[in-house]
Amino acid sequence: VWRKPITPTTAKELRKMMIQTVADGTARKGFRGRERDKILRLLEVGGKTGSLTGKNPRGKHEWFIGYAQSPNRRVAIGMVIVSETKWKVRPSELAKEIFHYYFSPRLVMEANAQPPLYGP
């Protein structure tokens, strides 16, 4: 490790805030029903949302950056969706679907059966 960008204490606080954002903050609508989903309810999920109106490209820019982890796997994602008139899907909704797919039992079994792409 070359440098630590933040202290472990700051990382722990940031993680708590990101979990809260998904549980009952600005990403809660996108993750609606997560507690009843047989895959997603087992994960720790955290994220941060944001939006602004821009001119290049023109439209509403909405974003989500976040992570999901189980005891054996973890993934981090980031996305921006630009909608010129009316949005079709919120980034947090798309993130929920990506996490669901990534942690689906079939995909996990396939990933475990394949040798890693890099390293031992």
Side-chain angles (χ1 to χ4, degrees):
V1 174
W2 180 51
R3 288 186 178 178
K4 291 183 181 178
I6 58 176
T7 67
T9 302
T10 301
K12 186 177 180 179
E13 289 301 311
L14 181 59
R15 186 172 162 191
K16 287 191 324 190
M17 287 187 285
M18 291 175 78
I19 291 168
Q20 196 70 28
T21 297
V22 169
D24 61 9
T26 54
R28 75 184 177 284
K29 288 181 182 178
F31 283 90
R32 186 178 295 143
R34 182 172 73 98
E35 61 281 343
R36 293 182 305 278
D37 185 282
K38 65 182 178 179
I39 295 171
L40 296 175
R41 70 178 179 214
L42 302 175
L43 304 177
E44 176 183 314
V45 180
K48 178 69 182 97
T49 65
S51 66
L52 57 89
T53 301
K55 294 184 179 181
N56 188 13
R58 179 176 228 82
K60 182 159 185 172
H61 301 68
E62 294 183 289
W63 56 271
F64 178 86
I65 186 166
Y67 72 93
Q69 64 183 15
S70 71
N72 302 322
R73 296 187 92 190
R74 60 185 171 182
V75 65
I77 62 173
M79 68 184 79
V80 177
I81 296 177
V82 180
S83 304
E84 195 169 327
T85 55
K86 185 177 178 184
W87 52 265
K88 306 265 190 242
V89 63
R90 292 175 190 243
S92 57
E93 292 170 359
L94 184 55
K96 177 184 170 186
E97 295 301 318
I98 291 169
F99 293 152
H100 188 276
Y101 176 77
Y102 183 80
F103 288 95
S104 69
R106 188 177 128 255
L107 187 65
V108 171
M109 286 184 350
E110 287 174 9
N112 290 338
Q114 305 233 351
L117 294 175
Y118 304 101

